[in-house]
Amino acid sequence: MTDNEYCTFRLDELTFGIEVHQVQEVIRPQVLTPVPRANGVVEGLINLRGQIVTAIDLRRRLELQDRPEGREAMNVVVRTAEGEVSFLVDEIGDVVQVDDASFETPPDTVQGVARELITGAYKLEDRLLLILDVPRTVQLPAPA
C-alpha cells in the first residue's frame, strides 16, 4: 500500500488531480498573449519570469462548458518533456494524499475526450478526485 500526493483543482463542479511532482507551481491569473491560428484550447502565452509558457484552457481541452464571463482562471504550471505548460483552471484546491488501494477506473459518466485524458479516480470523503494524464493532455489534437 503506497500513498500518493496530488495537487487538486476544480473545473466546473469536478475535482481533478495531478501528481505533485509534475506541478512546478500554481499562480494567480496572468496576462495572456493570444497566439494567432493556435489550437482552440490554447488560450495564449504567459511570461513566467522571462520564460514563455503556453497556457491551455483545461475546460476546452476536456470539452466542458466555457468558463463563465468575468471569471479569471488560475494557472497550474506543470513540467512536461517538452517544457513547462500552464493549465488554466477555475480554482486551486489542496494537496491531498490518497491510498493506491482506493484507485479505480474512470467512472462511466466520464465520456468523450475527457475519458482519454483521465487515468482513473480516487474516492474522497465527499467527491471523486479525477486523475489527469498530463502527457496526454498537452498533446493537442491536429486541427480538423
Side-chain angles (χ1 to χ4, degrees), residues 3 98 133:
D3 289 331
V98 294
D133 184 327

Side-chain angles (χ1 to χ4, degrees), residues 52-108:
I52 304 303
V53 175
T54 301
I56 294 175
D57 186 329
L58 270 190
R59 276 185 177 249
R60 288 194 200 136
R61 182 70 178 106
L62 294 167
E63 298 179 344
L64 300 173
Q65 290 185 349
D66 281 346
R67 187 168 293 103
E69 191 82 21
R71 185 171 181 181
E72 291 188 301
M74 298 293 290
N75 293 269
V76 177
V77 181
V78 297
R79 298 179 190 98
T80 73
E82 293 79 31
E84 286 74 23
V85 174
S86 176
F87 290 151
L88 301 179
V89 304
D90 295 351
E91 183 180 324
I92 303 296
D94 295 324
V95 171
V96 299
Q97 196 167 39
V98 294
D99 185 340
D100 272 347
S102 65
F103 187 76
E104 299 178 8
T105 58
D108 292 338

Side-chain angles (χ1 to χ4, degrees), residues 30-36 38 42-47 52-55 88:
Q30 301 290 305
V31 174
L32 292 163
T33 301
V35 181
V42 174
E43 188 70 19
L45 304 172
I46 62 172
N47 184 336
I52 304 303
V53 175
T54 301
L88 301 179

